[in-house]
Amino acid sequence: MKKLNIVLAIAATICAGVFSACSDEPEAGQTAKNDPAGFVQDGGIVTGKINLDALSRHTSGLKDATYTLENFETFNMDDYTNGLWEKKDLRLYDGWEMPMPRRIAVIAGEYWEPIRTFSLSTGPTRFGIALDLIERVEHKDYSIYIKKKMATDDVDKTLTIGHRKYGILYADDEALVLSYEYPYYGGRTHNGGLEMIVTSYSLSDPLQFEGTVMDFDSETAAYDWIIEVFRNKFGESVNRNDYYNGVAILDYPMFYLEEIIAERDLLGGR
């Protein structure tokens, strides 16, 4: 009889453990905050723990922080998905560019974003070409950052950086998960639809502006800097083939200062 009671006790303990594990299963994001795919379940968005107090300390300027991208997943919604999000590797499509920052650096309550130097659809920007030439001449690697406003919304659970608004799916003292939805046109249904990216970030070494890591209050200010440096080093134009050391031989190698100026003026100081 004692043996039977022991067996029953063990069985009861196992069953209790199984049911307890099922009933206490954490929400998405609590155990998989570095797995963006877990924040979309059965075609719908789910959220994990959101502690906006930790994030607000950064956006209000009380504490500096730098988040670095760890992982991301992409999703699609169109006429074929019945209002649900479908996991889709958008990286396989030509011209797709990740619409989220790879690093979120917050210093004194301001967000600092690397200046755009390349696009998959259009190639290097004029700024990027000029910067590459300057780096070749000076034998340095520059990192150029632009300041943009940043704010959180406690009600909507959103984070706004510049002109873009991201959904907050998870936030604590060490991690952050964001989502961003944007429309597209055409596609497999020819009616377009929505695409979404979910990104996970973790705290990393803080960004520091020193040496060749430079900060500017706007894109216009960064362009003004590179225009001055370019003019001092090359004048009004430069033959790029003179600096590529035979790695690339361009058919049309001439690059002009006025191209950088035109690109700056087109941006309009955004």
Side-chain angles (χ1 to χ4, degrees):
M1 180 63 72
K2 285 185 178 180
K3 288 185 178 180
L4 179 60
N5 289 338
I6 292 174
V7 170
L8 291 175
I10 294 174
T13 301
I14 294 174
C15 290
V18 170
F19 286 115
S20 175
C22 293
S23 61
D24 294 336
E25 185 176 353
E27 297 176 2
Q30 290 182 322
T31 58
K33 57 187 177 184
N34 297 327
D35 178 20
F39 291 86
V40 176
Q41 298 179 6
D42 298 325
I45 300 172
V46 297
T47 59
K49 180 179 73 173
I50 299 177
N51 178 8
L52 286 182
D53 289 340
L55 192 57
S56 295
R57 288 200 294 271
H58 307 318
T59 57
S60 63
L62 294 177
K63 185 178 180 181
D64 295 345
T66 298
Y67 292 91
T68 299
L69 178 72
E70 286 209 348
N71 199 3
F72 71 93
E73 291 289 350
T74 53
F75 302 86
N76 176 71
M77 180 187 293
D78 60 22
D79 292 342
Y80 292 159
T81 66
N82 297 317
L84 301 176
W85 288 108
E86 172 188 82
K87 187 176 178 180
K88 196 169 186 178
D89 192 352
L90 301 174
R91 289 167 287 190
L92 300 177
Y93 291 79
D94 291 338
W96 185 83
E97 291 185 75
M98 188 168 133
M100 302 283 277
R102 294 184 178 275
R103 174 186 281 180
I104 299 175
V106 189
I107 300 175
E110 303 283 3
Y111 165 76
W112 295 89
E113 178 178 82
I115 195 166
R116 189 177 180 86
T117 59
F118 188 85
S119 167
L120 287 177
S121 57
T122 61
T125 64
R126 295 298 181 260
F127 188 103
I129 293 173
L131 185 63
D132 175 67
L133 288 168
I134 292 168
E135 289 176 333
R136 289 173 183 273
V137 170
E138 296 187 357
H139 303 290
K140 296 179 180 179
D141 290 321
Y142 284 95
S143 296
I144 309 299
Y145 285 85
I146 308 301
K147 180 172 69 175
K148 293 193 175 181
K149 292 294 183 182
M150 182 178 185
T152 56
D153 189 312
D154 294 355
V155 177
D156 294 337
K157 300 296 188 295
T158 58
L159 174 67
T160 300
I161 299 176
H163 299 294
R164 282 190 174 178
K165 183 177 290 188
Y166 306 105
I168 302 173
L169 304 185
Y170 184 96
D172 64 16
D173 290 329
E174 298 181 349
L176 181 65
V177 178
L178 302 176
S179 66
Y180 181 62
E181 302 175 18
Y182 52 98
Y184 69 93
Y185 304 96
R188 62 184 179 180
T189 67
H190 305 292
N191 291 325
L194 288 174
E195 290 175 346
M196 178 176 67
I197 182 169
V198 179
T199 50
S200 63
Y201 300 86
S202 62
L203 277 182
S204 58
D205 293 335
L207 175 67
Q208 295 181 330
F209 298 126
E210 56 185 12
T212 56
V213 182
M214 305 178 66
D215 58 301
F216 295 92
D217 286 343
S218 67
E219 285 178 307
T220 297
Y223 271 82
D224 290 342
W225 167 79
I226 206 166
I227 287 168
E228 180 181 359
V229 175
F230 185 95
R231 180 181 283 119
N232 290 337
K233 292 188 179 298
F234 307 113
E236 297 297 317
S237 64
V238 62
N239 186 327
R240 284 181 283 169
N241 284 341
D242 292 342
Y243 297 92
Y244 289 167
N245 299 320
V247 175
I249 300 176
L250 304 176
D251 292 332
Y252 304 99
M254 295 306 297
F255 182 65
Y256 299 91
L257 178 67
E258 63 186 23
E259 297 180 55
I260 315 173
I261 295 174
E263 187 172 73
R264 177 201 62 187
D265 296 342
L266 185 63
L267 293 174
R270 67 183 183 188

